[in-house]
Amino acid sequence: MHRHRAWLRRGMAGLLASAALLAGVALAAEPVAVAITQAPAPPTSAAPGMSMVTFNLHHDREDWPARRKVILRELQALRPDAIALQEVIQKPHVRNQAAWLARKLGYDYQFVSTDPPGRFKRYGNALLTRRPVLARNDHLLAPLGDYRTVAHLRIDVDGQPVNVYATHLNERSDDSGSRIRGEQVADLLKFIATTSGTAPVVIAGDFNALVDAGDLSELRNHYGDSFGSVHVNNELAQVSTLNRHYYEAPSRIDHIFFQQDRLLAREARILFDQPYAEGRWASDHYGVWTRLQFAPSPGSPAATTP
């Protein structure tokens, strides 16, 4: 019995040696390339802050089912903390556009309209966020006959509350339009004062006015222009948020304003400024994306660093 076990051990050893030899011959005959990869370096930790997008959807014109796929893909890639949308529509056979995007993105959303719930068609503004919502409000802007609104969410950005507002002001380019926008800005600022508390403020939307227009002067007295702050040395007069395929002259009328004593604008760029197919665009507006950083508290080491 012992001799039989020994013979088995020697036989198994021989088989293993033969298998190893054959494997070696096979490897020598057909070299195998072994890819040696390093683990990706961890991303550089950015200073705490938030990102935001504003975009006029152009409601359901020009093949909305195709356009929404393009818009969704870009927003999925960016994953902004908050999104302000204008010209949002819902009607028979068109699900609320903000609700559709929010569901696809996994975001919370707020839609505000002067059209009451239950109407066959509702049109307005919306805010979407991937952050926890701490408070929400909406408001009809004066003058009420212009049917303009503002949506408000206070969101939790990694433990820091931030107020985000979305609006769309009067579109007329004459003196009457300028007067109405001035009244809307004054009412917007009052609404912000009553709803923002002590948290920093970001205001985004289609303002239908250049950033240095007199209509927006009261707003600019309190808040900074994120795109202009980032691109301060560039020729901003040639930057447009109106799609140049539809509008001849460049006009930057879509803005993201921020509270300058609480936030810093670090990055900003234009979105949806290229056709996704021949003759096809995401909207008649371009979008704006910005990254904001929380400003250091007075007296903190970061606040005193040159």
Side-chain angles (χ1 to χ4, degrees), residues 49-102:
M50 62 168 286
S51 60
M52 186 159 190
V53 164
T54 186
F55 189 47
N56 184 315
L57 287 181
H58 196 37
H59 42 92
D60 63 330
R61 290 184 180 175
E62 301 183 33
D63 196 357
W64 167 244
R67 291 195 300 113
R68 70 183 185 177
K69 294 177 184 177
V70 176
I71 296 166
L72 175 64
R73 185 165 60 243
E74 180 73 4
L75 294 177
Q76 285 174 327
L78 289 171
R79 294 286 295 168
D81 293 290
I83 304 166
L85 298 175
Q86 305 85 49
E87 295 194 14
V88 178
I89 199 167
Q90 70 175 57
K91 63 183 185 179
H93 311 298
V94 178
R95 182 181 179 182
N96 185 292
Q97 293 169 301
W100 186 88
L101 284 167

Side-chain angles (χ1 to χ4, degrees), residues 40-46:
T44 304
S45 58

Side-chain angles (χ1 to χ4, degrees), residues 21 37 44 117 122 124 129 138 141 170 173 233 266 289 293:
L21 179 61
T37 58
T44 304
R122 303 186 72 203
T129 184
D138 59 66
L141 288 174
N170 183 275
S173 58
N233 295 321
R266 291 307 192 197
W289 170 89
Q293 178 184 324

Side-chain angles (χ1 to χ4, degrees), residues 114-184:
T114 59
D115 302 314
R119 283 283 297 272
F120 79 98
K121 183 174 82 170
R122 303 186 72 203
Y123 179 82
N125 302 311
L127 272 171
L128 282 64
T129 184
R130 65 183 181 90
R131 298 292 189 167
V133 174
L134 305 176
R136 62 180 75 221
N137 296 283
D138 59 66
H139 180 62
L140 307 184
L141 288 174
L144 297 181
D146 196 42
Y147 308 105
R148 300 290 174 163
T149 64
V150 55
H152 166 235
L153 293 176
R154 185 177 304 125
I155 59 176
D156 184 326
V157 182
D158 298 327
Q160 169 70 59
V162 180
N163 294 292
V164 289
Y165 296 85
T167 194
H168 187 185
L169 303 188
N170 183 275
E171 81 287 359
R172 294 177 59 170
S173 58
D174 56 12
D175 290 342
S176 177
S178 180
R179 177 187 55 78
I180 292 171
R181 282 189 295 275
E183 188 174 349
Q184 289 167 345

